[in-house]
Coordinates of all heavy atoms in Angstrom, one line a residue:
K4 N 112.8 87.6 110.2 CA 112.7 89.1 109.9 C 112.7 89.2 108.4 O 113.5 88.6 107.7 CB 113.8 89.9 110.5 CG 113.8 89.9 112.0 CD 114.9 90.9 112.5 CE 114.9 91.2 113.9 NZ 115.3 90.0 114.7
V5 N 111.7 90.0 107.9 CA 111.6 90.2 106.4 C 111.8 91.7 106.1 O 111.2 92.6 106.8 CB 110.2 89.8 105.9 CG1 110.1 90.0 104.4 CG2 110.0 88.3 106.3
K125 N 105.1 89.3 102.8 CA 105.9 89.2 104.0 C 105.4 87.9 104.8 O 106.3 87.2 105.3 CB 105.7 90.4 104.9 CG 106.4 90.4 106.2 CD 105.9 91.5 107.1 CE 105.9 91.1 108.6 NZ 105.4 92.1 109.5
S173 N 118.6 92.1 110.6 CA 118.0 93.0 111.6 C 117.0 94.0 110.9 O 117.1 94.1 109.6 CB 119.1 93.8 112.3 OG 119.8 94.5 111.3
G174 N 116.2 94.7 111.7 CA 115.3 95.6 111.1 C 114.2 94.9 110.2 O 113.7 93.9 110.6
G175 N 113.9 95.5 109.0 CA 112.9 95.0 108.2 C 111.5 95.5 108.5 O 111.4 96.6 109.1
I176 N 110.5 94.8 108.0 CA 109.1 95.3 108.2 C 108.7 94.9 109.7 O 108.6 93.8 110.0 CB 108.2 94.7 107.2 CG1 108.6 95.0 105.8 CG2 106.7 95.2 107.4 CD1 107.9 94.3 104.7
L177 N 108.6 96.0 110.5 CA 108.3 95.7 111.9 C 106.9 95.6 112.3 O 106.5 94.9 113.3 CB 108.9 96.9 112.8 CG 110.4 97.3 112.6 CD1 110.8 98.4 113.5 CD2 111.3 96.0 112.9
A178 N 106.0 96.2 111.5 CA 104.5 96.1 111.9 C 103.7 96.5 110.6 O 104.1 97.2 109.8 CB 104.2 97.1 113.0
D179 N 102.5 95.9 110.6 CA 101.6 96.1 109.5 C 100.2 96.4 110.0 O 99.8 96.0 111.1 CB 101.5 94.8 108.7 CG 102.8 94.1 108.5 OD1 103.5 94.4 107.6 OD2 103.0 93.2 109.4
V237 N 99.7 101.6 113.4 CA 100.9 100.8 113.1 C 102.0 101.1 114.1 O 102.7 100.2 114.5 CB 101.3 100.9 111.6 CG1 102.2 102.1 111.4 CG2 102.0 99.7 111.2
K240 N 101.1 99.3 117.4 CA 101.5 97.9 117.3 C 103.0 97.6 117.6 O 103.4 96.7 118.2 CB 101.2 97.3 115.9 CG 99.8 96.9 115.7 CD 99.7 96.2 114.3 CE 98.4 95.4 114.2 NZ 98.3 94.7 112.9
A241 N 103.8 98.5 117.0 CA 105.3 98.4 117.1 C 105.8 99.0 118.4 O 107.0 98.9 118.7 CB 105.9 99.0 115.9
I243 N 106.1 102.2 119.1 CA 107.1 103.2 118.7 C 106.4 104.6 118.7 O 105.2 104.7 118.3 CB 107.7 102.9 117.3 CG1 108.8 101.8 117.5 CG2 108.2 104.1 116.6 CD1 109.4 101.3 116.3
D307 N 117.0 104.1 109.7 CA 115.8 104.9 109.7 C 114.6 104.1 109.9 O 114.4 103.0 109.4 CB 115.7 105.8 108.4 CG 116.6 107.0 108.4 OD1 117.3 107.2 109.4 OD2 116.5 107.7 107.4
K308 N 113.6 104.7 110.7 CA 112.3 104.1 110.8 C 111.4 104.9 109.8 O 111.2 106.1 109.9 CB 111.8 104.2 112.2 CG 112.6 103.4 113.2 CD 112.0 103.3 114.5 CE 112.9 102.6 115.5 NZ 114.0 103.5 115.9
N323 N 102.6 100.4 107.0 CA 103.7 99.5 107.4 C 104.7 100.3 108.1 O 105.0 101.4 107.7 CB 104.3 98.8 106.2 CG 103.3 97.9 105.5 OD1 102.6 98.3 104.6 ND2 103.3 96.6 105.9
L324 N 105.4 99.7 109.1 CA 106.6 100.4 109.7 C 107.8 99.6 109.3 O 107.8 98.4 109.5 CB 106.4 100.5 111.2 CG 107.7 101.0 111.9 CD1 107.9 102.4 111.6 CD2 107.5 100.7 113.4
I325 N 108.8 100.2 108.7 CA 110.0 99.5 108.2 C 111.2 100.1 108.9 O 111.3 101.4 109.0 CB 110.1 99.6 106.7 CG1 108.9 99.1 106.0 CG2 111.4 98.9 106.2 CD1 108.9 99.2 104.5
K326 N 112.1 99.3 109.4 CA 113.4 99.8 109.9 C 114.4 99.5 108.8 O 114.6 98.3 108.5 CB 113.8 99.2 111.3 CG 115.0 99.8 111.8 CD 115.3 99.4 113.2 CE 116.6 100.1 113.7 NZ 117.2 99.3 114.7
W327 N 115.0 100.5 108.3 CA 115.9 100.3 107.2 C 117.3 99.7 107.6 O 117.8 100.0 108.7 CB 116.1 101.6 106.4 CG 116.1 101.3 105.0 CD1 117.1 100.9 104.1 CD2 114.9 101.2 104.1 NE1 116.6 100.6 102.9 CE2 115.3 100.8 102.9 CE3 113.5 101.4 104.4 CZ2 114.4 100.6 101.8 CZ3 112.6 101.2 103.4 CH2 113.1 100.8 102.1

Side-chain angles (χ1 to χ4, degrees):
K4 291 188 173 70
V5 178
K125 177 191 148 185
S173 61
I176 304 173
L177 303 183
D179 322 273
V237 85
K240 272 188 169 185
I243 281 178
D307 276 0
K308 293 191 190 70
N323 298 87
L324 172 68
I325 303 177
K326 186 169 177 206
W327 223 269

